[in-house]
Amino acid sequence: RKEVEQDPGPFNVPEGATVAFNCTYSNSASQSFFWYRQDCRKEPKLLMSVYSSGNEDGRFTAQLNRASQYISLLIRDSKLSDSATYLCVVNPLTTSGTYKYIFGTGTRLKVLA
Amino acid sequence: NAGVTQTPKFRILKIGQSMTLQCAQDMNHNYMYWYRQDPGMGLKLIYYSVGAGITDKGEVPNGYNVSRSTTEYFPLRLELAAPSQTSVYFCASRKGGGTGANVLTFGAGSRLTVL
């Protein structure tokens, strides 16, 4: 089983739609969770951190379910500019006591006019 | 602040050649990382550093070397380039503590092709 798994998509949605992505992780010792956005041929950029109680940033809502070991990202009122690949990133504590970042392969979103 | 700066942006190497990918950050971040990203794949950690003079291997270190003589610079050396090293390389950094300490900041990437 992969440490972090995402549906690769693509998710093709019309403008204005609501779309949700899930990401599952295997290491229950994971401490921090993030969603990064990556545009084609560009570097990943932080979209939002994911907090235990869930958090919202404008049209974006992130949720964490530790019991089921998944995080989710909800995008409301999709814009053309939301078209990108969304990377799930998990930060487990290693046996050496350091943190490492595990990246999912990403979910590709296309918002259609 | 320039953030994380990588050079070169693009490079074509012949099999067996060597080169160094440069990475510099001006945010005084303690932690620096080198990742590679192959098409359709997630980022794989090559090497990382928790501070000047300290480096450690990641998941895919074979064929690479790093050094961290100062806080600002973290070059990645490819020795005897192989086609399997064709990839996009990203350097990243983060603070050691405080608000936003877990957030990675990436450079724009270096696209390497080995022929």
Side-chain angles (χ1 to χ4, degrees):
Chain A
R1 182 183 172 187
K2 288 184 182 177
E3 289 188 84
V4 175
E5 291 201 71
Q6 294 183 252
D7 182 339
F11 284 59
N12 297 322
V13 302
E15 268 187 293
T18 295
V19 62
F21 310 135
N22 279 343
C23 164
T24 58
Y25 62 94
S26 61
N27 190 333
S28 60
S30 298
Q31 300 289 313
S32 307
F33 308 87
F34 309 88
W35 284 103
Y36 276 73
R37 171 194 169 127
Q38 187 173 27
D39 293 297
C40 189
R41 302 173 81 86
K42 300 283 190 182
E43 74 273 24
K45 292 185 178 176
L46 180 70
L47 178 66
M48 57 198 304
S49 301
V50 185
Y51 302 121
S52 296
S53 55
N55 48 299
E56 191 173 301
D57 183 1
R59 298 181 292 108
F60 299 86
T61 300
Q63 298 279 353
L64 167 63
N65 185 318
R66 283 192 184 273
S68 299
Q69 295 183 199
Y70 76 84
I71 67 173
S72 63
L73 177 67
L74 182 78
I75 305 175
R76 289 181 299 277
D77 189 23
S78 299
K79 312 289 185 194
L80 293 175
S81 57
D82 293 334
S83 297
T85 297
Y86 291 84
L87 305 177
C88 171
V89 184
V90 173
N91 193 210
L93 179 65
T94 68
T95 53
S96 63
T98 61
Y99 290 94
K100 62 177 183 175
Y101 295 82
I102 309 296
F103 287 78
T105 54
T107 297
R108 194 168 166 208
L109 171 66
K110 290 184 182 178
V111 181
L112 308 171
Chain B
N1 281 354
V4 180
T5 303
Q6 289 184 237
T7 57
K9 285 187 167 44
F10 303 95
R11 182 73 186 268
I12 297 175
L13 281 182
K14 292 183 179 176
I15 294 172
Q17 286 186 319
S18 301
M19 75 159 300
T20 299
L21 299 178
Q22 301 291 347
C23 177
Q25 53 92 7
D26 61 359
M27 300 172 283
N28 202 31
H29 283 177
N30 292 334
Y31 293 78
M32 295 188 74
Y33 304 81
W34 273 107
Y35 291 93
R36 60 177 286 174
Q37 186 177 35
D38 299 324
M41 304 294 287
L43 278 72
K44 299 292 184 187
L45 181 64
I46 306 171
Y47 270 95
Y48 68 99
S49 169
V50 302
I54 306 169
T55 62
D56 209 347
K57 295 178 181 178
E59 302 169 77
V60 289
N62 291 343
Y64 307 95
N65 276 301
V66 293
S67 59
R68 184 100 182 267
S69 56
T70 67
T71 300
E72 294 82 10
Y73 299 103
F74 190 40
L76 178 71
R77 177 86 178 156
L78 280 74
E79 305 282 1
L80 298 174
S84 61
Q85 293 178 304
T86 294
S87 191
V88 180
Y89 291 83
F90 289 104
C91 180
S93 71
R94 68 175 181 94
K95 294 196 295 186
T99 304
N102 277 344
V103 175
L104 291 174
T105 300
F106 285 87
S110 296
R111 192 171 296 271
L112 176 68
T113 301
V114 182
L115 300 174

